[in-house]
Amino acid sequence: MGGAHSREDLDIDSSEEEYEDEGSDREQYGDADVDRQQRPQPSTSSAGRSQSDVDEIDAKLKELKVKYSSERPNLKNAVKLYLHIGGNTPKAKWLISDKLTSYNFVRSSGAEGGDGSDDEESEGGEWVLKVGEKVRARVSTDMQLKMFGGQRRVDFVNNGVWAMKFFTDADYRMFVTQFQNCLFENVYGLEATDDNKLKVYGKEFIGWVNPEAADDSVWEDAENDFGKTPEDSKSTPSRANSDLMEEFEEAANGGVQSLTLGALDNSFLVNDLGVQVYRNYAKGIRGKGVYVKFHRGTSKDSSSSPNMTPEKAMLMRGETNMMLMSPLKEGKPHSTGLQQLDIETGKIVTEWKFEKDGADITMRDITNDTKGSQLDPSESTFLGLDDNRLCQWDMRDRRGIVQNIANSNSPVLHWTQGHQFSRGTNFQCFATTGDGSIVVGSIDGKVRLYSKTSMRQAKTAFPGLGSPITHVDVTYDGKWVLGTTDTYLILICTLFTDKDGRTKTGFGGRMGNKIPAPRLLKLTPLDSHLAGENNKFHGGHFSWVTENGKQERHLVATVGKFSVIWDFQQVKNSAHGCYQNQQGLKSCYCYKIVLKDESIIESRFMHDKFAVTNSPEAPLVVATPMKVSSISLSGKQ
């Protein structure tokens, strides 16, 4: 399920005899020894000649000492370059690729740091990191740069996993500052000056501009309702997975598109032909042998609904109904309507259209009004999101007539409230809190918070870090927001103290100038490389609670064949070892991995009511195109 120790955190400061050299360093040292052995020995009767030989040998030794000294050599931007081989196997190790080389940041006119020409003085193009003749990488989050301040070292991905070892602390700090400045410029197209950072982030987000000076008190004082942080959290543990235990694994019907967990009796896997029903247990989900095929109307002999490949499913009305949304075009999430499936009868009872002011419109996402409203048997409204729209839909027919699919025209959902924005907001995804407040993620990385009473203007708008937000989740109490990007997760604290000294969230008031810096959740460069070149983070979720006073315990996201699990309280702990000696925003690399043999569709924690006494968390359910698994976390640390 997990893997061997990644060896990504091996102490690269160890004696060089422990690492193999990709070049010919050993032969060079050997030649020096042979040279000394074959040279004529000094004669005791020829003092002058003996002294000359001794001086020559001393000069040779001094030359070697200077060449291979651990002290900073006389070379601009000098570094040692290492290459990691062996992946995550017991034979994994670091090779010395270059004992002495140099790096440089250059501008490139080539796309993605390709074979375009470099010109250090050019005004155009993007910044590229060059290390000797072996590394040429566009400066971006795709590099997954990880800092080891105590070792004066950075690791990164570029057609392999590399490490650069600096000769002095000043060299290391200068590189990190240069890298972050080049990254800012590549993302925003502006020079990384303080004025430009304030222009991008806003004066309220001082902690995002200068994380080292950020006020961490909100994180440190964060409520913890489920016990203290583990004793060993101040040191960075390996990614041990010994406390993950697979309970069930079953074959699905194939072609799984989505996983929909219920908080009551059942959960569901949706594919292009129907819905497979599973029973919820304290140790996971088990198939009931029930498969609901998509049928139109009430006839058992009716054919499957044409062109229906649902990718979004949402439970409603006490989890007796499921709303299914199918994209109009492959690769595009937008849809003009929904199918309403009655789970008990196995029939699609209604096909709904999205319409406003008499014109058809599209939606790219739907969600329940609140984080627990799917449990309400009388629920008749839900929320919709499109690129520039945020609204609430009502399934109750205004004429008081119950419509069904037998009608020639699909019934129209009633737009009860919302807003159609005139300028490009580029909304991508959204989620709701326990009280119905709304968080929205955008393609430009912005995260907006809307109160439950108004969808017209966000109470708080976080600037983001430039990477598109592809998925967003929020805790039941609204205090924490988790945004998913392709290369990292961003955890945002919404708490602030108003002018009267009261603690609020950014959903209920403007946060002013006391907005804490976010934290990032990342894979190590090695794990990012093992996950695959084209694999991206998706579907970052908190564990699932629907009751005031309960706190989510874990976070989970999917990348390639990995389900990655973080301890929520460990991430919030400012004294955590991952955060020591870091420059910039704090990044956490402590996680557990569930590894599957095919790409994972989705990973979600079951509702917390399914947690058992010897586990700190309800089971994790992992769905792949062909299988579904349930994994339990033990209570040991």
Side-chain angles (χ1 to χ4, degrees), residues 67-95:
K67 184 174 182 181
Y68 296 111
S69 172
S70 61
E71 298 175 0
R72 180 177 178 177
N74 186 23
L75 178 66
K76 184 180 179 182
N77 297 338
V79 292
K80 290 182 182 179
L81 182 65
Y82 297 79
L83 176 65
H84 193 278
I85 64 168
N88 199 35
T89 68
K91 294 184 178 180
K93 59 185 175 182
W94 290 100
L95 296 177

Side-chain angles (χ1 to χ4, degrees), residues 412-469:
V412 175
L413 289 160
H414 176 42
W415 173 299
T416 59
Q417 63 170 316
H419 190 65
Q420 185 162 309
F421 297 87
S422 58
R423 290 184 293 178
T425 50
N426 292 312
F427 292 152
Q428 294 282 292
C429 48
F430 68 152
T432 52
T433 67
D435 70 356
S437 299
I438 307 167
V439 55
V440 182
S442 299
I443 197 169
D444 59 2
K446 289 183 179 178
V447 175
R448 295 174 173 88
L449 309 184
Y450 293 87
S451 74
K452 60 183 178 180
T453 59
S454 174
M455 301 180 188
R456 179 172 294 274
Q457 186 173 11
K459 289 288 187 180
T460 301
F462 297 98
L465 301 173
S467 298
I469 303 293

Side-chain angles (χ1 to χ4, degrees), residues 510-581:
R510 298 191 179 279
M511 296 181 68
N513 60 358
K514 293 186 177 181
I515 299 175
R519 295 198 176 160
L520 307 182
L521 283 67
K522 298 180 180 180
L523 289 181
T524 65
L526 178 59
D527 284 336
S528 177
H529 182 63
L530 295 175
E533 182 178 355
N534 296 317
N535 289 320
K536 301 173 182 178
F537 271 121
H538 63 90
H541 292 277
F542 293 102
S543 51
W544 188 14
V545 301
T546 57
E547 188 177 334
N548 282 320
K550 287 197 173 182
Q551 178 68 70
E552 293 81 355
R553 296 173 178 268
H554 289 89
L555 310 97
V556 63
T558 300
V559 53
K561 298 178 181 180
F562 294 167
S563 289
V564 190
I565 306 165
W566 282 266
D567 182 293
F568 189 17
Q569 183 61 18
Q570 191 175 66
V571 173
K572 290 190 288 186
N573 181 9
S574 296
H576 179 45
C578 275
Y579 303 143
Q580 309 309 309
N581 297 315

Side-chain angles (χ1 to χ4, degrees), residues 294-298 305 308 317 321-325 337-343 345-354 382 394-397 399 401-413:
F294 299 138
H295 288 300
R296 298 176 63 93
T298 58
S305 181
M308 183 176 178
R317 294 182 171 173
N321 280 237
M322 180 180 288
M323 308 301 288
L324 299 162
M325 190 162 78
L338 299 169
Q339 294 82 25
Q340 182 181 348
L341 174 68
D342 186 303
I343 295 170
T345 63
K347 298 294 187 289
I348 295 176
V349 294
T350 313
E351 288 194 356
W352 297 96
K353 288 173 58 179
F354 296 125
F382 61 92
D394 194 335
M395 297 189 296
R396 291 169 295 193
D397 185 71
R399 294 169 296 177
I401 302 173
V402 177
Q403 303 188 53
N404 59 53
I405 200 143
N407 294 340
S408 58
N409 296 318
S410 296
V412 175
L413 289 160

Side-chain angles (χ1 to χ4, degrees), residues 269-319:
L269 287 180
V270 181
N271 63 21
D272 55 356
L273 296 178
V275 178
Q276 193 167 354
V277 185
Y278 288 79
R279 179 76 176 181
N280 293 334
Y281 293 95
K283 290 188 176 182
I285 66 173
R286 299 291 299 266
K288 295 178 66 172
V290 177
Y291 188 75
V292 179
K293 291 186 178 180
F294 299 138
H295 288 300
R296 298 176 63 93
T298 58
S299 170
K300 293 183 179 180
D301 298 325
S302 59
S303 61
S304 296
S305 181
N307 303 319
M308 183 176 178
T309 54
E311 294 185 1
K312 176 73 177 181
M314 180 184 70
L315 291 171
M316 290 188 68
R317 294 182 171 173
E319 300 186 353

